[in-house]
Amino acid sequence: MTDIAIPEPTTAAEPAPAAKKELTEALLYLDAVTVTFDGFRALNALSFTVDPGEMRAVIGPNGAGKTTMMDVITGKTRPDRGDVFFNGGTTDLTKLDETQIATLGIGRKFQKPTVFENHTVLDNLRLALKGQRRALPNIFHRESAAARERIDEIFETIRLTEHRDRLGGALSHGQKQWLEIGMLLAQDPKLLLVDEPVAGMTDAETAQTAELLREINANGHSVVVVEHDMTFVRDLGVRVMCLHEGSVLAEGTLDQVSANERVIEVYLGR
Amino acid sequence: MSMTRQPALLGTSGLIFLAVLFVAAVLVPVLNLYAAPDSAVHVPTYVVSLLGKYLTYALLALSVDLIWGYVGILSLGQGAFFALGGYAMGMYLMRQIGTRGVYGDPVLPDFMVFLNWKELPWFWYGFDMFPFAALMVLLAPGLLALVFGWFAFRSRVTGVYLSIITQAMTFALLLAFFRNDMGFGGNNGLTDFKDILGFNIQADGTRLTLFVLSALALGLGYILCRFLVRSHFGKVLVAVRDAETRVRFTGYRAENYKLVAFVVSAMLAGIAGALYVPQVGIINPSEFSPANSIEIIVWVAVGGRGTLVGAALGAVLVNYAKTYFTSGMLAPYWLFMLGGLFVAVTLFLPKGIVGTYYDWREKRRQHDDIPDEPLATPRPAE
């Protein structure tokens, strides 16, 4: 017997204690995530965590990787390198597809409002409402009283009660944005990823949207908001992270981040 | 739009459609049997079979509308499922011929004797029993759709690419069924049928029964499709059609929904084919030809995609026109007319006959009920 048993280097595979604590306490944990498209680094060793119940704003110039970041978290894009964990490190998101990730409790609002245009506002919420997702059982699905109540609540929250019988496609741009947020709420996700929710909104609508997102966050949902509108980000009053060339440039309160020399240089302008 | 409110299982147009179908199913046999042969209202038997053929086409069109109108799957190979159902029925009818064939072989159909085959290929076993053949009418198209759809939808092949591969599928089957050694009668297909379930297939009574069964199948097929598209399942289908990515991010497996609809649609097409074959007396590989599948799309486009009733109406109208024009001096120009019809409908009537009618009705209703306020007063949900 010439074979020598090499002991598994178990200790080396364990993350450092500090990193491990960060991992197990985070709702969402990204570590050194890199995504390359045809040689272009959309994400460059991006690392950050989102705590349970936290709301976070993400800013950054065009091409900073904000949307790619959301694509990676929701399973639309697979990272070349890096770790993406959910639920205190229990779930590796890089191994799952969009549907599985949505079922786990990550909801996403797209940059361009995407609602089901040929369904009524009510049916849009019915389709999004947390519940049976399999095809065959849904042939015989009946709406429960609890579901009806929950939908009424969401209608109150997103202020679209009087529009419930209109087609999704007939709503104004701002109303579509709210409907989409309402659909996210109906999914009851642990984490909401919201991409530019106030693009194309009036000032009044923008303020109402900030209030809506704060309300959602206060009800225990973690929220990550990507937005360019600085007034809106200020209204949210949460921790801000500035992305640039695929990694985090600065992080902190809005005042701290906007005082950062590099952020002023690449994003805010002088 | 007809979808604004939760519609009843059968809306007004659905009830009218079923009523017309019912009246036809009663009136045609009555006029065939009891009107004097020389009277103006007499329906000769060949017309009964012609109408029966239209009804099977209408069911076929319904099957296309289910996936094209509601899921956005433009299948250019639906004729393959229709033909497979037809072949399953044809194989049963061949086995019923028995010793009455030209060669008098009790087991082997004529074409196998002609090809010097000594025994029945394994895939012809069981087709002497009607229940088995009936099962195959559903299973053969259903399984093909299941396998094909599983690969296509899982790989997220959509739009024009999906249309092209469905077309390739039916073309491949066309070539395969043309071959004599496939064991399905090659170029000539299956024909010379004698009887079905013991009844002479040429007899007036059998023809009438087949016509009534076709009407019944169309009616039940319509109710099934209507039930499906109104259900939560059906709402997901429309959502997949309009915003597939959104559906995935909402937690639904879009590919499974497409697959279920595709398989149901293939089975409906199979039933249509099985009812078609005994009424026209033949099934051959030309039923797999891509042009046939494209014609079905024209029927549905003319009648109105995504309306179900429109698909059936379009199938009957276009095929009536086809019968009318191809039997006169205009016959050589029929394909030009069909192509012209498709172009005209696409340009001037993009929602088809029934879709345009629905739009007009909706506009008038809004105009009558609520002149100033386009938002309808909240209606009860169910």
Side-chain angles (χ1 to χ4, degrees):
Chain A
M1 299 297 280
T2 53
D3 280 338
I4 297 162
I6 299 164
E8 285 283 313
T10 44
T11 44
E14 296 275 312
K20 196 178 175 195
K21 184 163 177 286
E22 213 179 21
L23 176 65
T24 50
E25 281 179 2
L27 179 67
L28 180 70
Y29 173 94
L30 275 79
D31 186 40
V33 174
T34 299
V35 174
T36 317
F37 297 120
D38 295 327
F40 170 71
R41 283 214 167 173
L43 293 184
N44 187 11
L46 175 68
S47 308
F48 70 91
T49 60
V50 176
D51 294 332
E54 184 188 349
M55 174 143 72
R56 166 88 51 99
V58 179
I59 59 172
N62 287 326
K66 302 185 297 290
T67 300
T68 309
M69 170 196 87
M70 292 210 170
D71 286 347
V72 167
I73 298 168
T74 54
K76 195 170 176 227
T77 304
R78 297 237 177 278
D80 303 332
R81 275 196 303 283
D83 294 327
V84 186
F85 282 103
F86 188 59
N87 264 346
T90 53
T91 317
D92 183 353
L93 294 182
T94 59
K95 301 229 172 0
L96 305 177
D97 69 10
E98 300 103 311
T99 309
Q100 287 166 320
I101 291 173
T103 317
L104 268 181
I106 298 183
R108 175 173 186 181
K109 203 203 88 55
F110 293 91
Q111 197 167 341
K112 179 175 170 285
T114 319
V115 300
F116 303 128
E117 307 234 326
N118 285 305
H119 281 310
T120 60
V121 174
L122 176 62
D123 278 343
N124 268 276
L125 287 186
R126 280 177 176 159
L127 285 169
L129 195 69
K130 190 177 190 175
Q132 180 59 262
R133 287 297 191 251
R134 290 170 56 219
L136 291 175
N138 266 336
I139 296 175
F140 305 100
H141 174 84
R142 294 238 151 257
E143 192 180 38
S144 66
R148 215 163 298 156
E149 248 170 62
R150 176 74 191 123
I151 286 175
D152 286 343
E153 274 172 37
I154 294 168
F155 267 127
E156 291 296 319
T157 311
I158 59 172
R159 305 163 179 96
L160 288 177
T161 308
E162 66 270 36
H163 301 289
R164 56 197 291 151
D165 290 318
R166 292 177 74 192
L167 290 184
L171 295 182
S172 75
H173 180 82
Q175 288 168 335
K176 276 187 199 170
Q177 300 271 34
W178 286 336
L179 174 57
E180 203 181 358
I181 293 172
M183 289 164 74
L184 281 193
L185 270 181
Q187 278 178 257
D188 192 24
K190 291 184 181 130
L191 173 66
L192 285 85
L193 302 174
V194 189
D195 203 350
E196 302 203 12
V198 299
M201 279 192 178
T202 63
D203 288 350
E205 285 172 334
T206 302
Q208 281 183 352
T209 306
E211 194 188 316
L212 176 60
L213 286 177
R214 278 203 308 268
E215 204 175 309
I216 289 168
N217 179 236
N219 286 329
H221 302 274
S222 297
V223 185
V224 172
V225 194
V226 165
E227 188 50 70
H228 281 296
D229 187 323
M230 294 312 267
T231 325
F232 174 74
V233 174
R234 188 167 293 282
D235 278 356
L236 285 180
V238 295
R239 208 173 158 77
V240 177
M241 180 168 94
C242 180
L243 291 192
H244 178 55
E245 290 175 353
S247 40
V248 179
L249 188 65
E251 204 175 336
T253 64
L254 182 61
D255 291 330
Q256 287 166 346
V257 171
S258 27
N260 184 300
E261 279 294 311
R262 293 277 291 138
V263 172
I264 294 168
E265 192 180 316
V266 304
Y267 183 53
L268 298 174
R270 287 180 195 277
Chain B
M1 274 287 218
S2 57
M3 284 177 232
T4 15
R5 275 149 246 112
Q6 184 79 0
L9 175 57
L10 306 164
T12 318
S13 38
L15 285 172
I16 293 173
F17 171 69
L18 290 178
V20 168
L21 201 57
F22 178 76
V23 169
V26 172
L27 206 58
V28 168
V30 166
L31 293 179
N32 174 266
L33 292 172
Y34 300 111
D38 51 356
S39 84
V41 290
H42 177 72
V43 180
T45 305
Y46 82 90
V47 174
V48 173
S49 284
L50 190 64
L51 293 174
K53 186 176 88 168
Y54 292 167
L55 293 184
T56 64
Y57 282 158
L59 181 57
L60 176 58
L62 205 62
S63 79
V64 166
D65 198 25
L66 179 65
I67 53 171
W68 187 32
Y70 293 88
V71 206
I73 300 170
L74 175 57
S75 165
L76 297 181
Q78 197 73 2
F81 303 125
F82 179 78
L84 285 176
Y87 266 96
M89 176 59 89
M91 286 161 81
Y92 163 76
L93 296 172
M94 287 307 270
R95 299 286 316 261
Q96 296 308 297
I97 298 173
T99 55
R100 287 168 293 177
V102 177
Y103 299 104
D105 191 298
V107 177
L108 295 188
D110 276 349
F111 74 88
M112 292 186 191
V113 183
F114 182 76
L115 291 171
N116 245 329
W117 291 20
K118 295 296 172 222
E119 55 188 78
L120 199 68
W122 61 268
F123 49 84
W124 277 75
Y125 292 167
F127 277 95
D128 51 332
M129 293 175 289
F130 183 79
F132 179 81
L135 192 65
M136 285 300 139
V137 163
L138 293 174
L139 282 189
L143 277 178
L144 175 65
L146 186 71
V147 172
F148 183 91
W150 193 80
F151 282 109
F153 302 141
R154 218 177 61 107
S155 316
R156 303 196 183 174
V157 181
T158 53
V160 65
Y161 301 99
L162 185 67
S163 300
I164 290 169
I165 61 167
T166 55
Q167 179 113 88
M169 172 191 78
T170 195
F171 191 62
L173 285 168
L174 168 78
L175 296 179
F177 274 73
F178 258 127
R179 292 158 49 95
N180 277 329
D181 48 9
M182 270 288 280
F184 295 105
N187 190 17
N188 299 318
L190 312 174
T191 187
D192 283 335
F193 308 134
K194 304 291 185 214
D195 45 37
I196 178 167
L197 289 168
F199 298 99
N200 179 356
I201 207 160
Q202 304 290 347
D204 287 5
T206 315
R207 301 252 147 192
L208 285 175
T209 310
L210 285 167
F211 169 80
V212 172
L213 285 176
S214 303
L216 190 68
L218 177 58
L220 291 177
Y222 171 76
I223 293 171
L224 172 73
C225 289
R226 190 68 197 170
F227 175 75
L228 286 179
V229 302
R230 276 178 73 260
S231 69
H232 193 87
F233 167 81
K235 284 175 183 164
V236 178
L237 292 185
V238 171
V240 168
R241 180 192 71 189
D242 294 344
E244 185 169 340
T245 319
R246 179 24 103 211
V247 172
R248 290 184 197 283
F249 284 114
T250 312
Y252 293 96
R253 292 230 158 267
E255 59 270 33
N256 291 357
Y257 281 78
K258 288 179 173 182
L259 193 58
V260 171
F262 196 55
V263 169
V264 169
S265 158
M267 287 178 163
L268 284 175
I271 295 171
L275 286 162
Y276 167 85
V277 167
Q279 298 190 77
V280 299
I282 184 168
I283 173 81
N284 64 31
S286 69
E287 296 297 340
F288 285 108
S289 87
N292 277 23
S293 295
I294 293 171
E295 236 182 282
I296 310 168
I297 299 299
V298 180
W299 307 340
V300 178
V302 168
R305 168 188 176 201
T307 61
L308 297 179
V309 174
L313 181 72
V316 173
L317 284 182
V318 176
N319 279 292
Y320 174 73
K322 183 178 184 175
T323 308
Y324 184 80
F325 287 114
T326 53
S327 56
M329 49 188 282
L330 289 167
Y333 308 109
W334 165 245
L335 281 180
F336 293 102
M337 295 170 67
L338 185 69
L341 184 66
F342 190 48
V343 172
V345 164
T346 311
L347 287 178
F348 305 114
L349 218 58
K351 292 191 169 175
I353 297 168
V354 173
T356 308
Y357 166 72
Y358 281 167
D359 275 5
W360 173 79
R361 194 182 59 181
E362 187 66 19
K363 225 172 265 167
R364 208 188 51 167
R365 181 184 291 150
Q366 287 188 357
H367 192 74
D368 287 354
D369 294 356
I370 25 173
D372 308 316
E373 176 59 87
L375 314 180
T377 43
R379 291 180 181 81
E382 300 297 331

